[in-house]
Amino acid sequence: MPTHSAVPTPARTHRRRRTLLALLCAAQFMLILDVTVVNVALPAITADLHLERTALTWVVTAYTLCFGGLMLLGGRLADTLGARRVLLTGLALFTAASLACGLAPNAGVLLTGRVAQGVGAALLSPAALALVTTAFHGPERARALGVWAAVGGTGSAVGVLLGGALTAGPGWPWVFHLNVPVGLALLVVLPGLLPRTPAPGTGGGLDVPGAVLVTTATAALVYGLVRAGDSGWTSAATLLPLLGSVALYAAFATAERRSRTPLMDLRMLTRRPVVAGSLLMLVATALLISFFFLGSLRLQRLDGLDPLRTGLLFLPVALATVLGAHLGSRLVTTAGPRACTTAGLALATAGCLPLALLDAPDPWTTLMPALATAAFGLGAVLVTATTTALGLVTPHEAGLASGLVNTSHELGGTLGVALASTLALATPAGFTTAFTAFTLTALPATLTAPLLIPRGRPHPPSGAHGVH
């Protein structure tokens, strides 16, 4: 009788990698969608649960804060306990928390659910990206990372459109309930595809103090930015949290140098591609998420549009983000990340500029075309940031490096929304002030990108093992 080999054929392995990538991207899409899907629903949530301005801001930032603040811990857990175990735990927690958010009877339950969603996302996302990074090698890795980054930009854009449709239809709880069937389906299918080989352990404990310090530092920074809208930039209520965040970040750096099992190996910050990609991710996400937040609130508050029309108006912005990310995934391996990033940031600046100069831009002829232009450029930047940071990491560093990049993604959204709400909602001319601030952010980023990004094109190492 012939002997059947247990080793999968190359074609089968290739199909499994492609299927796994599609499912992991679906999970990531769900996480990123939840950053912006609530934006259009905020007025309805505010009316039903009687939220104040500060609480309204925290509906968005409570999720992104825990998502970003605990991402490094999630990445370290993926490296020590195995990406499979951490991913499935995070997916289960996120799904359950989504159900709780949709059923929330008051602001306290909703914010608690958003925190739990963020914790689940912080476990899921770096583990998923680590699996993508190690499942592909050679030129395939650059293409896979491009797909992953495109999903991030697409999820942010589609969230606004979907949020409007759900809020106008079955109601705002469905922006959370939608995650439940998707999460359950992934929990059924993914275990059969995820590799069972655990990542090598570090032989030590987890750096829980480091995770507490970095999350608390970011919470203090966000709280200070939010308080500035009510108390002013020079008040003690604003300055004390901001100064406290600086001290806590310094304490985190000190703790990491002394820890035997640091949450983040600070030597990772000496690698120019990782630092450049993380900074670009921070800036691009801060701009993109803030534009969705500002645009959706402005259309409903100042222009009087309902959630459905607001969501439909964002359709060109969503398409522009998708096209920008798709083009960026192609150009990053041909023109190189430096040229692709600089062009993308230049488009973002061009999109911001008319919104900073005009007090009341027309939503049809000015506001949405400007946002679509900016989103097109930023979609490409998200791709180049990911491929720049992760193109050269080794398999045993994949969890930490992906955690750092994803941290930058979520913290960018957190800080951007906090600043946008502070500037836009504090005064009648606040929307113009906010867009001016983001123009002054995009322009220096455009000018410094050619100096920040290394020359050449990403050439991933070929030593990563595929998924079998």
Side-chain angles (χ1 to χ4, degrees):
M1 294 179 64
T3 301
H4 297 282
S5 173
V7 178
T9 64
R12 182 170 179 266
T13 300
H14 182 72
R15 286 196 301 271
R16 287 175 64 88
R17 285 205 308 272
R18 289 293 184 90
T19 303
L20 180 61
L21 175 63
L23 292 174
L24 293 178
C25 283
Q28 178 71 0
F29 183 86
M30 181 173 62
L31 303 186
I32 301 303
L33 191 76
D34 248 54
V35 178
T36 57
V37 73
V38 301
N39 284 344
V40 181
L42 284 177
I45 296 174
T46 300
D48 282 359
L49 302 184
H50 308 291
L51 302 182
E52 298 179 353
R53 187 194 71 83
T54 301
L56 180 148
T57 303
W58 283 104
V59 171
V60 178
T61 57
Y63 173 66
T64 54
L65 173 63
C66 293
F67 193 171
L70 295 174
M71 192 83 75
L72 291 175
L73 180 61
R76 178 58 72 194
L77 284 169
D79 286 337
T80 57
L81 302 180
R84 172 193 173 92
R85 182 184 304 174
V86 174
L87 185 149
L88 293 176
T89 301
L91 179 58
L93 177 58
F94 180 85
T95 304
S98 297
L99 179 62
C101 287
L103 298 174
N106 54 55
V109 175
L110 177 61
L111 293 179
T112 301
R114 290 292 278 170
V115 168
Q117 277 189 307
V119 175
L123 296 175
L124 194 164
S125 189
L129 184 53
L131 286 166
V132 172
T133 304
T134 56
F136 296 88
H137 58 274
E140 275 193 334
R141 182 191 283 189
R143 289 193 291 269
L145 290 175
V147 171
W148 177 273
V151 164
T154 304
S156 299
V158 173
V160 182
L161 176 64
L162 189 59
L166 291 173
T167 303
W172 67 261
W174 281 92
V175 304
F176 302 111
H177 287 327
L178 184 67
N179 296 327
V180 178
V182 177
L184 291 175
L186 289 172
L187 283 170
V188 170
V189 177
L190 274 175
L193 289 172
L194 293 173
R196 294 183 179 275
T197 304
T202 61
L206 292 171
D207 183 18
V208 176
V212 172
L213 281 171
V214 72
T215 306
T216 307
T218 308
L221 177 58
V222 172
Y223 180 78
L225 292 174
V226 173
R227 288 295 302 170
D230 296 324
S231 305
W233 289 96
T234 59
S235 69
T238 299
L239 292 178
L240 288 178
L242 294 179
L243 293 175
S245 71
V246 174
L248 288 168
Y249 279 126
F252 169 70
T254 302
E256 296 307 282
R257 284 195 294 267
R258 295 178 178 177
S259 175
R260 292 184 177 180
T261 56
L263 183 66
M264 183 178 72
D265 187 349
L266 296 180
R267 289 176 298 180
M268 185 73 73
L269 298 180
T270 64
R271 301 186 184 182
R272 186 178 171 188
V274 174
V275 174
S278 298
L279 288 176
L280 287 171
M281 183 64 75
L282 182 76
V283 172
T285 308
L287 293 172
L288 188 63
I289 302 300
S290 298
F291 291 161
F292 296 143
F293 179 82
L294 289 171
S296 60
L297 282 182
R298 189 192 184 285
L299 288 173
Q300 293 184 80
R301 289 196 171 200
L302 298 186
D303 298 306
L305 300 185
D306 59 36
L308 181 58
R309 291 183 67 193
T310 299
L312 290 175
L313 266 180
F314 267 90
L315 180 58
V317 181
L319 293 175
T321 309
V322 174
L323 291 174
H326 178 71
L327 183 61
S329 65
R330 292 179 174 273
L331 291 179
V332 71
T333 54
T334 54
R338 180 179 287 189
C340 189
T341 301
T342 303
L345 288 171
L347 283 173
T349 305
C352 289
L353 193 58
L355 304 180
L357 297 176
L358 299 175
D359 290 333
D362 181 79
W364 300 94
T365 61
T366 305
L367 178 63
M368 304 316 293
L371 291 181
T373 300
F376 181 80
L378 292 172
V381 176
L382 292 177
V383 173
T384 58
T386 304
T387 54
T388 297
L390 299 179
L392 299 174
V393 299
T394 57
H396 74 277
E397 298 172 319
L400 175 58
S402 61
L404 186 60
V405 173
N406 280 332
T407 296
S408 299
H409 185 284
E410 299 312 316
L411 293 188
T414 301
L415 298 177
V417 169
L419 183 60
S421 67
T422 295
L423 296 175
L425 304 180
T427 65
F431 284 96
T432 302
T433 303
F435 282 118
T436 300
F438 290 121
T439 302
L440 296 176
T441 301
L443 181 58
T446 305
L447 298 176
T448 57
L451 304 176
L452 185 64
I453 301 174
R455 291 181 179 274
R457 304 168 188 172
H459 293 287
S462 58
H465 299 289
V467 175
H468 300 292

